[in-house]
Amino acid sequence: MSKGIAITGMGIISSIGNNVEENYRSLIEGKTGITRISKIKTIHKDHIMVGEIAFTNQELEQQLGLTPDNDYSRTALLGAIAAKQAINNAGISNINTYKTGLISATSVGGMDKTEIHYHDYFKDKATQKYIAGHHAGDSTQKIAEQLGIEQSLVTTISTACSSAANAIMLGARLIKSGQLDRVIVGGSDCLSKFTINGFKTLMILSDTYNTPFDENRKGLNLGEAAAFLVLESDKVVQAENKPVLAYVKGYGNANDAYHQTASSENGDGATLAMQKALKIADLSSSDIDYINAHGTATGNNDLSEGRAILRVFDKHVPDFSSTKAYTGHTLAAAGAIEAVYSVLALQNNVIYPNLNFKTQMKEFSMTPQLELKEKELHTVLSNSLGFGGNCSTVIFSKKQ
Amino acid sequence: MEDLKQELKENIVEQLNLEDIAVEDIDDNDMLFGDGLGLDSIDALELIVMLDKNYGIKLTDPKEGRAIFESINVMAKYIFENRTK
Amino acid sequence: MKPVYINSLGSISCQKTFDNSSFLDEIISYEDHIILAVDPNYKDYISPANSRRMAKGVKMGVVASKIALNEANLETVDAIITGTGMGCLKDSEKFLSAIINNDEQFLTPTSFIQSTHNTVGGQIALGLQCKGYNFTYVHASISFESAVLDAKLMLENNEANTILVGGVDEIEDYTCSLHKLVNHIKKEKVNSTDLLRSKTEGAVFSEGANFFVLSNLKQESSYAQIVEIRTYNTLGNTSITDTASAFLKENNLNTEVIDLLILGNNGDVRYDGFYNELSAGIFKNTQQVYYKHLCGEFNTASSFGVWLASKILKTQKLPEQVKLNNIQPSNYKTVLLYNQYRGENHSFTLLRRC
């Protein structure tokens, strides 16, 4: 059993940076990663904006030292890059010294390859190497291989947009219960025609920069990203005399049980998730210094989440912002991306501005943090809400 | 107009996979959403695509659909007046 | 730590397993390389209004979970944890082919929203109005085992008392045609009874849903206790024999106390060696059983193995058709299940009579 769940390493690649430092710089400089799409051929290119990572697949393969006959999807490439950064950041040289697991999250998986080679598979034998990589677990197996994790607990969670938050949650529980000493948790999703068109049919893609919590919000921008965190038990931290970046203090998952895709009007699921996380953390709502909101900038999410925040925090809503205006909505990776941002907020005592906000929503009087704010932070709460009514909250703290 | 109404009913039953509803059971004035046929927000999006694909009518805001899809009568009238194919 | 029990089950498979009052009384034999689940009357369980958007996988999952809930006499549960290797293939393929064949035009949302991996878990929650913990694991042949492991963790620590856990996967044509291309599906049709003698590459693909109510409270109707479950992404340089021995040792057990070994052989000549090593080696004096000739191969087929083990432990009956050898123990008390797919994602599950 481990009392504390220490975060000892982080890695990230997103449209606002190829590592933790670059991401942090963009966040404090208010630099968005949202652009027109360049890497995927789509008829929607002039009507949508995305958070795209600059590197091509080839460049990513080179960084990983993969041979040209590799069968990595972009999800696997991004995930492997971020996970390796996290291991390095945690100063891990031999990964199998301790019982180490890997929990990854994805929704796209190898879909990027399937949609490109949909017809080619039958004609071009060279493309067939990607067939077995379509399923969601494939990218996780590859990340484990890249990290040298063998004979261990390696699994994948897919609960749509809350996936990576749930990976963090499972990792924390595995450490707490003593099943693992160390676990790498996070998620990876690349952009794909599948998700672009999917969200397009739901008519929730903005044709311009997304504007979380704004009255006139027009929907979300999709993004691609991967992020991983190294969680370690008290035992490992003590034995290795590890510097701890922050702690996973609380977590909660609940289901909205309202609609297959939409969130309930009153944010029942999100409310329950936040309340559960506070209970596990043994904190009261007034202990939260900053909320990194899910804030996708869809009409439905921001209203539902806003109401849930009001239900939990009532008249004392702490500073909050959504970082989706920087990265776009990175789907299954979002929970891990925003976990890294939450830890960076704690480390640097800053709250990031909620970009592009102009007008308060008419349903309630809530204004997100609009300027970069320096403030001593002790605890940060991060929400991730998804299709299938899946609602998750993770609480990070400076002290155990 | 009657043909258009019949066509709409057939398409709605088929497209939305309304297994327990027969075309004859739908009255021209029945509410399509809520207490009537019980359609929901996802069905509204399906109907928006149907308008585009079959009649060349493009809606950009799903909220516009609510009034247009009130009943078969209202829908048929709107299509009749706005169709481009 | 509290013990964890299998209190009830519900199975939809290529056999008529949806009726809990029977136990493989009548076995359906197939001669094919792709086999489909036997449908119960879904309408008995789901209203037309609720089922109109559901592909077969979602229906199988929802109905299997209802059968399990009914047997446990429960209206709802504290949590729902689902495993699915490939997710909602039919709707994914429907949406993907529409994108490609219509050049991204005139696409409708229904198949997209039904395509996400957590559709089954979400639909079960929606039907039960269950606002509790809801996870979906999607890791190939250990998707179901991950779900069980998570549930076991929660129940042992008293974070929940009843959890619905299941594995579900569905067959879809395009995906099958791809798996035929790379010989993951057998080129030739195989008779169920000859599966392990086929000596060819690939497996007979299939589908199904097996759901269980797990609880830390034993009921009159309980089937078994889940003692341990362990997954391995790879074996590294270790043999399966050493891995199995280490697993038993960690649980203070040895091969002698295992009354029944349930193996996931699928007749793939390239990978059945893992099973053969155990059956001809350290477990050669143990009663052995296989089941994929009955339910076919799919990422969550091992959930059928747990269904089979549960039935055997409760009824103390071993159907002739599943026997790999004839070493009859006096009774069935401790059962070990082993599964892997294509040499990766191995798992051991240890069940005990309760």
Side-chain angles (χ1 to χ4, degrees), chain C residues 107-144:
Chain C
L107 300 171
T108 58
T110 302
S111 53
F112 176 68
I113 65 169
Q114 295 290 111
S115 77
T116 50
H117 287 85
N118 64 331
T119 302
V120 176
Q123 285 293 326
I124 294 173
L126 201 54
L128 300 177
Q129 280 299 298
C130 174
K131 299 197 176 184
Y133 180 94
N134 195 310
F135 266 34
T136 299
Y137 290 92
V138 294
H139 198 85
S141 58
I142 59 142
S143 302
F144 171 69

Side-chain angles (χ1 to χ4, degrees), chain A residues 10-20 23 51-53 60 64 73-86 102-107 139 143 164 168 184-191 223-229 327-341:
Chain A
M10 306 193 292
I12 185 169
I13 180 165
S14 77
S15 63
I16 62 166
N18 300 317
N19 53 49
V20 173
N23 271 270
E52 201 174 38
I53 291 168
L60 295 167
L64 290 167
S73 64
R74 191 167 169 86
T75 298
L77 293 169
L78 297 174
I81 298 253
K84 279 187 148 180
Q85 285 176 14
L102 169 69
I103 323 286
S104 185
T106 185
S107 64
S139 56
I143 296 165
I168 297 169
I184 323 302
V185 295
S188 179
D189 255 341
C190 67
L191 281 169
E224 59 182 354
F228 284 87
L229 299 96
T327 57
H329 187 3
T330 59
L331 304 178
I337 300 301
E338 287 156 38
V340 171
Y341 295 170

